[in-house]
Amino acid sequence: MVRIEFLGPIAKESLEMEATTLHDVAHKLSDDSEVKEWLSTCAVAVNDTLVSSLDTPLKSGDKVSLLPPVCGG
Amino acid sequence: MVRIEFLGPIAKESLEMEATTLHDVAHKLSDDSEVKEWLSTCAVAVNDTLVSSLDTPLKSGDKVSLLPPVCGG
Amino acid sequence: MLELHENALNVPDILSRWYQKERSNNYGAYLSFVGTVRHENGIEGLSFDLYEPILKRWFEAWQQRAKAEGAVVKMAHSMGDVMVHESSYVAAVFSPKRRVALELIDAFVEDFKATAPIWKYDLKDGVRIYAKDRSAPIAGSGLLETRQ
Amino acid sequence: MLELHENALNVPDILSRWYQKERSNNYGAYLSFVGTVRHENGIEGLSFDLYEPILKRWFEAWQQRAKAEGAVVKMAHSMGDVMVHESSYVAAVFSPKRRVALELIDAFVEDFKATAPIWKYDLKDGVRIYAKDRSAPIAGSGLLETRQ
């Protein structure tokens, strides 16, 4: 099981799912009506490191974070 | 008479001379052994405004300042 | 030096403390940037969420980049509510010479705005509203979007 | 706001005082630059002469340039001796948005270095030595040189 966390303004509790790569995560979240609208503008981190490929492998216990558009300062 | 002032590190008291343009000032200072070496690196102000032409007219009471290379901060 | 504070920053304290800490370390230039909440759009203030693990990594990478140029970066940011005319952000660079500091502060602040995992909300009538229109997707966003 | 002080600047006081003065004037960005005397070349400190009439005109022209962009510039500089690890120069820009402030502080500091009528001396064994090799002729210098 990997844990999916939604950061900042995405008003959603974290959830757990089976996934071996980010392809699986993308596929499962595309069915989630609460999250779907955020996917096009979110960056993705695996265990707190930003990643840029859907082929990124996942193992049990990994944390996947979705980071919506930012505005610090 | 115009008054010539030497600013910063030029160790020279101010002096007065007859001059109708900066051409006259340039000519007279070129004979001054203390000042001569500074002329190539000094900017010139007339009545506290930097000027860029030797044709700048001068009248009695004007102040001509020589500004050697600067380094503030 | 990354400082996270609840609510508004004490800017005089921060600018002074950093100055005193570094003034004898032979940095000729100290550049600082302070961000203050403006009165606009009828807001009472702003509110901030941040995600500390990624913010720390981002900042550590900047410390390394600064160090390679003989410089030091520092940053303070607010968490939670910061009212109009209070300050939420201070960034600073110390370097031996001025060009490095002038260029680093610019690059640091711009990268901060584009990348640091911090989310801003307007406070209106006591309600927190995500400042979506002023927010920027982090580079590489949209990875999980499935195109059908 | 152009402040000239005898000897070293009280940097915490200046940065704090300017912040407090402008913090409610809706400037989102406050950029400041502090110049501190470095321990190098065996000096005990630096010493400064300045020519106030032209310095004031130069600064007033910058105030106008800043005002045209909705910004404010401030500057403090030392006169006389400033010892190693003391500070001799503070410059600041306040502006509604960050890009204007980031660009103005850079242009202001560089123009200051190239143009402001201030002369620097090294202090060595109590003697004041003109820092000729680090000084730059003001644009247009050499006007009075007669070429024979």
Side-chain angles (χ1 to χ4, degrees):
Chain A
M1 297 288 268
V2 301
R3 184 178 181 83
I4 317 293
E5 289 191 348
F6 304 94
L7 300 178
I10 315 179
K12 188 173 168 67
E13 290 297 304
S14 59
L15 54 85
E16 300 211 323
M17 63 171 65
E18 295 291 348
T20 57
T21 69
L22 285 176
H23 284 288
D24 300 335
V25 176
H27 184 70
K28 287 181 182 167
L29 291 182
S30 70
D31 294 334
D32 187 316
S33 59
E34 282 179 286
V35 173
K36 203 175 167 183
E37 59 168 322
W38 289 98
L39 296 183
S40 65
T41 56
C42 273
V44 181
V46 174
N47 300 328
D48 296 333
T49 298
L50 291 167
V51 295
S52 57
S53 167
L54 284 177
D55 298 327
T56 304
L58 297 172
K59 61 182 187 305
S60 184
D62 280 350
K63 177 173 65 173
V64 176
S65 307
L66 270 68
L67 296 90
V70 296
C71 187
Chain B
M1 298 286 268
V2 301
R3 183 181 181 79
I4 317 294
E5 288 190 349
F6 304 95
L7 300 178
I10 314 178
K12 188 173 170 67
E13 289 297 303
S14 58
L15 53 84
E16 300 211 322
M17 62 171 65
E18 295 290 348
T20 57
T21 69
L22 285 177
H23 284 289
D24 300 336
V25 176
H27 185 69
K28 287 181 181 165
L29 292 181
S30 70
D31 294 334
D32 186 317
S33 60
E34 282 179 288
V35 174
K36 202 175 168 182
E37 59 168 320
W38 290 98
L39 296 182
S40 65
T41 56
C42 273
V44 181
V46 174
N47 300 329
D48 297 332
T49 297
L50 291 168
V51 296
S52 57
S53 167
L54 284 177
D55 299 327
T56 304
L58 297 173
K59 61 182 188 305
S60 184
D62 279 351
K63 175 172 69 172
V64 175
S65 307
L66 270 69
L67 296 91
V70 296
C71 186
Chain C
M1 170 67 69
L2 169 62
E3 300 182 11
L4 303 175
H5 296 268
E6 296 282 347
N7 308 118
L9 302 178
N10 183 335
V11 170
D13 172 69
I14 291 168
L15 292 178
S16 170
R17 198 155 35 80
W18 292 353
Y19 174 71
Q20 299 295 3
K21 182 162 168 43
E22 301 293 349
R23 61 176 289 187
S24 298
N25 293 341
N26 236 25
Y27 297 115
Y30 167 26
L31 255 291
S32 62
F33 179 101
V34 176
T36 299
V37 179
R38 302 182 68 217
H39 188 237
E40 59 184 352
N41 309 322
I43 61 168
E44 290 129 32
L46 298 174
S47 190
F48 297 91
D49 283 342
L50 54 82
Y51 184 60
E52 199 167 332
I54 291 181
L55 183 62
K56 278 187 173 167
R57 288 193 178 196
W58 171 84
F59 184 74
E60 279 158 19
W62 265 99
Q63 281 186 304
Q64 291 307 312
R65 177 168 163 185
K67 194 176 179 183
E69 303 198 58
V72 166
V73 289
K74 295 179 193 281
M75 185 181 120
H77 203 284
S78 295
M79 302 178 290
D81 297 355
V82 181
M83 308 317 282
V84 163
H85 300 158
E86 293 183 334
S87 301
S88 54
Y89 179 52
V90 184
V93 177
F94 290 81
S95 77
K97 300 285 186 180
R98 74 177 184 280
R99 280 308 325 156
V100 166
L102 285 162
E103 285 161 26
L104 270 181
I105 194 78
D106 192 322
F108 180 75
V109 168
E110 291 299 333
D111 190 49
F112 167 81
K113 290 277 179 184
T115 309
I118 301 181
W119 296 277
K120 180 180 284 178
Y121 305 80
D122 289 331
L123 291 173
K124 284 190 181 179
D125 301 321
V127 178
R128 227 170 168 237
I129 305 156
Y130 175 49
K132 188 176 178 180
D133 55 330
R134 281 124 64 206
S135 299
I138 295 171
S141 286
L143 185 63
L144 294 182
E145 189 179 26
T146 49
R147 286 161 230 279
Q148 278 132 358
Chain D
M1 170 68 69
L2 170 62
E3 301 183 11
L4 303 176
H5 296 267
E6 297 282 348
N7 306 118
L9 301 179
N10 183 336
V11 170
D13 172 69
I14 291 168
L15 293 178
S16 170
R17 197 155 35 78
W18 292 352
Y19 173 71
Q20 298 296 3
K21 182 162 167 43
E22 301 293 350
R23 62 176 289 187
S24 298
N25 292 341
N26 235 25
Y27 297 115
Y30 167 27
L31 254 291
S32 62
F33 179 100
V34 176
T36 298
V37 179
R38 301 182 67 216
H39 188 237
E40 60 185 351
N41 309 321
I43 61 169
E44 290 129 30
L46 299 173
S47 190
F48 298 91
D49 282 344
L50 54 82
Y51 184 61
E52 199 168 331
I54 293 182
L55 183 61
K56 278 186 174 166
R57 288 193 179 196
W58 171 83
F59 184 73
E60 279 158 19
W62 265 98
Q63 281 185 304
Q64 291 308 311
R65 177 167 164 184
K67 193 176 178 181
E69 302 198 58
V72 167
V73 289
K74 295 179 192 281
M75 186 180 118
H77 203 284
S78 295
M79 302 179 291
D81 297 354
V82 181
M83 309 317 282
V84 163
H85 299 159
E86 293 183 334
S87 300
S88 53
Y89 178 52
V90 184
V93 177
F94 291 82
S95 77
K97 300 284 186 179
R98 75 178 184 279
R99 278 311 321 157
V100 165
L102 285 162
E103 284 160 26
L104 269 182
I105 194 81
D106 192 321
F108 180 76
V109 169
E110 292 299 333
D111 189 50
F112 167 82
K113 290 278 179 183
T115 310
I118 301 181
W119 297 278
K120 181 180 283 180
Y121 305 81
D122 289 331
L123 291 173
K124 283 189 180 178
D125 301 323
V127 178
R128 228 169 169 239
I129 305 157
Y130 175 47
K132 188 177 178 178
D133 56 329
R134 280 125 64 206
S135 298
I138 296 171
S141 286
L143 185 62
L144 295 181
E145 189 179 27
T146 50
R147 288 160 227 277
Q148 279 133 354

